[in-house]
Amino acid sequence: ASSDQVHQMYTWVSTDNDRAQWQSFVDAAKEKAEEAKDKLAELAGDAKDKAEKELASAQIRAQGAERNLSGANAQAAKAEARG
């Protein structure tokens, strides 16, 4: 920042009223940032829960597929033994 910009900022917050307004702005920004952080954590938790449910479902499907494959292999072996 140029010297003039720094001087303008310093001048802007140089009175008690300006400092109070600036602090109010900072406080509001901090509150919004905290709300956004909380919302992000909530969304991340929701996404994690969904992913865990999808993983459990995929594992159940994989186990079913393994059983089906095992059964198919057993039937193929019986057919070969008879044939």
Side-chain angles (χ1 to χ4, degrees), residues 1-61:
S2 74
S3 171
D4 290 339
Q5 290 172 321
V6 171
H7 179 69
Q8 287 172 350
M9 178 60 79
Y10 175 77
T11 302
W12 180 62
V13 296
S14 64
T15 67
D16 287 341
N17 187 48
D18 290 339
R19 282 191 294 271
Q21 288 179 339
W22 180 248
Q23 188 60 52
S24 175
F25 171 78
V26 169
D27 292 345
K30 284 181 179 179
E31 183 178 329
K32 289 292 182 188
E34 194 62 33
E35 289 172 7
K37 180 180 160 189
D38 291 345
K39 184 64 177 175
L40 184 59
E42 179 183 331
L43 292 172
D46 291 348
K48 180 180 178 247
D49 291 345
K50 182 179 179 186
E52 287 173 346
K53 287 176 184 174
E54 289 176 359
L55 174 60
S57 179
Q59 288 172 329
I60 290 168
R61 287 192 307 272

